[in-house]
Amino acid sequence: MKVGIIGLGLIGGSLGRAIVSKTQDRVYAFDIDSHALLGGRLLSAFHEELTEDKIGELDVIFFTLYPNALENALN
């Protein structure tokens, strides 16, 4: 399965690390903060960065954002 995570804070990073370490699923991640992406990469929270062209290939997407940020992201 291909899993997307948008937001690599405490919850998104933890979710990514669990999926990567406990399953055979492929994890793609996105965060507007380049430091969060770097941290996620160093902690093995995802396999590849999520880009616009890969979104259509995903089986599930987790939005792990603050409610206000989620509202803005979906608009």
Side-chain angles (χ1 to χ4, degrees), residues 29-68:
F30 174 80
D31 199 297
I32 59 171
D33 183 358
S34 62
H35 291 98
L37 279 172
L38 177 60
R41 186 174 306 280
L42 293 173
L43 293 171
S44 299
F46 62 95
H47 296 105
E48 292 183 46
E49 191 170 336
L50 178 59
T51 58
E52 195 171 319
D53 61 314
K54 293 179 186 163
I55 288 178
E57 301 173 12
L58 301 176
D59 296 303
V60 64
I61 301 175
F62 293 98
F63 289 88
T64 56
L65 306 169
Y66 289 112
N68 291 343

Side-chain angles (χ1 to χ4, degrees), residues 5 8 11-21 27 44-46:
I5 298 175
L8 281 177
I11 293 180
S14 298
L15 177 63
R17 287 181 67 198
I19 294 170
V20 167
S21 68
V27 179
S44 299
F46 62 95

